[in-house]
Amino acid sequence: MTTARIVNCPSCNKAVKWTTKNASRPFCSERCKVIDLGSWAAEEHRIADTGPPDFTSENPDTDI
């Protein structure tokens, strides 16, 4: 038998087991899962764009 991996909940930092029995993983609960979703919806979290800038989409009405 293998031991369950322990991870920290991204919302509250509580230690939680990473198992199939935890339907909210990597979160400790449904509450923390919904709080995180709300943060993404409010644009409090962002993924950095590392690609080159796309100048064509900044002002679509301008002819280049």
Side-chain angles (χ1 to χ4, degrees), residues 44-55:
E44 295 171 8
H45 300 302
R46 295 176 186 215
I47 298 173
D49 182 12
T50 58
D54 181 12
F55 295 109

Side-chain angles (χ1 to χ4, degrees), residues 6-23:
I6 304 294
V7 297
N8 290 334
C9 173
S11 284
C12 70
N13 211 31
K14 177 182 173 183
V16 62
K17 289 182 181 180
W18 186 282
T19 66
T20 56
K21 292 180 182 178
N22 178 4

Side-chain angles (χ1 to χ4, degrees), residues 25-62:
R25 66 183 181 275
F27 302 97
C28 66
S29 64
E30 185 68 23
R31 178 182 177 273
C32 280
K33 193 176 183 181
V34 171
I35 288 170
D36 184 72
L37 178 62
S39 295
W40 281 100
E43 296 185 358
E44 295 171 8
H45 300 302
R46 295 176 186 215
I47 298 173
D49 182 12
T50 58
D54 181 12
F55 295 109
T56 60
S57 65
E58 287 184 18
N59 194 355
D61 296 331
T62 305

